[in-house]
């Protein structure tokens, strides 16, 4: 092998190694982005709804007052009717029930099943995010509040808290929320009639 050929092969090997290292770094960065390691809105909503369905919401002597679903579990809350003498069947119907305030309040916590992570989504411009929230969700939301939060920033991407108030079930919003590429839900607040308000984080550049 001649000297020129040796140098050419060495340069090709070095270039291939550099490209591989760059590709590896890009993949590592992609995996660390919040919208790539959290479930899509529709997947999160489905997991929360499935967990809430495991809770008996109609317990004699108790009134369901709402539930909150975060990334991990859904917790349903109940108040005991004043005239009801004891805890009744809420204990039998919900094995994970926790009684507080001398048995006047109860909460039931159900773990979420694992939800698939997203590996897609590209940040949109801030004005496009605001436009998406206010134009793609009007049939679902009563109000939307988008607040920049520097503590949520990731690299060159700006993080924003999004709070959506509604009079409709969360699943009705799923296709609209999935249309916002980097929006991820942090909490679903279920009301007694099972309509829901949604809190989340979105990223823009």
């Amino acid at each position: 092998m001649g000297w020129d050929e040796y140098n050419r092969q060495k340069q090709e090997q070095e270039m291939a190694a550099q490209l591989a290292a760059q590709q590896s770094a890009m993949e590592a960065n992609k995996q660390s982005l919040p919208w790539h390691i959290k479930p899509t809105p529709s997947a999160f909503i489905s997991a929360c709804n499935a967990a809430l369905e495991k809770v008996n919401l109609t317990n004699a002597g108790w009134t369901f007052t709402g539930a909150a679903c975060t990334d991990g579990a859904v917790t349903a809350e109940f108040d005991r009717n004043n005239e009801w003498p004891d805890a009744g069947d809420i204990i039998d119907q919900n094995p994970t029930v926790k009684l507080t305030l001398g048995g006047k309040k109860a909460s039931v916590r159900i773990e979420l099943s694992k939800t698939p992570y997203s590996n897609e989504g590209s940040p949109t411009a801030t004005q496009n995010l605001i436009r998406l929230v206010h134009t793609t969700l009007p049939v679902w939301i009563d109000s939307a509040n988008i607040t920049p939060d520097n503590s949520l920033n990731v690299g060159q991407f700006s993080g924003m808290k999004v709070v959506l108030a509604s009079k409709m079930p969360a699943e009705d919003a799923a296709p609209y929320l999935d249309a916002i590429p980097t929006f991820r839900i942090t909490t679903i607040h279920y009301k007694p009639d099972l309509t829901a308000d949604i809190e989340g984080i979105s990223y823009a550049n």
Side-chain angles (χ1 to χ4, degrees), residues 22-132:
Q22 290 174 359
Q23 184 66 27
S24 177
M26 289 174 62
E27 288 298 320
N29 181 61
K30 180 178 178 181
Q31 292 302 318
S32 67
L33 296 174
W35 54 93
H36 287 143
I37 58 175
K38 296 290 185 181
T40 60
S42 57
F44 188 91
I45 291 169
S46 294
C48 289
N49 285 352
L52 190 59
E53 287 175 357
K54 297 178 182 179
V55 181
N56 182 9
L57 301 181
T58 56
N59 303 279
W62 292 85
T63 300
F64 171 63
T65 58
C69 186
T70 59
D71 188 10
V74 63
T75 302
E77 303 288 345
F78 301 84
D79 285 346
R80 195 175 88 187
N81 300 338
N82 290 331
E83 68 275 10
W84 203 256
D86 54 40
D89 64 355
I90 194 170
I91 296 177
D92 297 329
Q93 298 294 330
N94 300 281
T96 62
V97 67
K98 179 180 179 181
L99 300 178
T100 57
L101 290 180
K104 293 181 179 180
K105 289 185 176 293
S107 61
V108 178
R109 188 176 189 273
I110 301 293
E111 298 287 333
L112 298 188
S113 59
K114 290 186 178 180
T115 51
Y117 290 156
S118 169
N119 58 7
E120 299 179 355
S122 299
T124 184
T126 302
Q127 63 269 26
N128 289 340
L129 169 65
I130 295 172
R131 188 181 304 117
L132 276 168

Side-chain angles (χ1 to χ4, degrees), residues 175-198:
Y176 303 105
L177 295 175
D178 281 346
I180 304 173
T182 60
F183 178 78
R184 295 296 180 261
I185 297 174
T186 55
T187 308
I188 300 177
H189 298 279
Y190 293 93
K191 304 168 193 175
D193 61 359
L194 296 183
T195 60
D197 296 337
I198 290 178

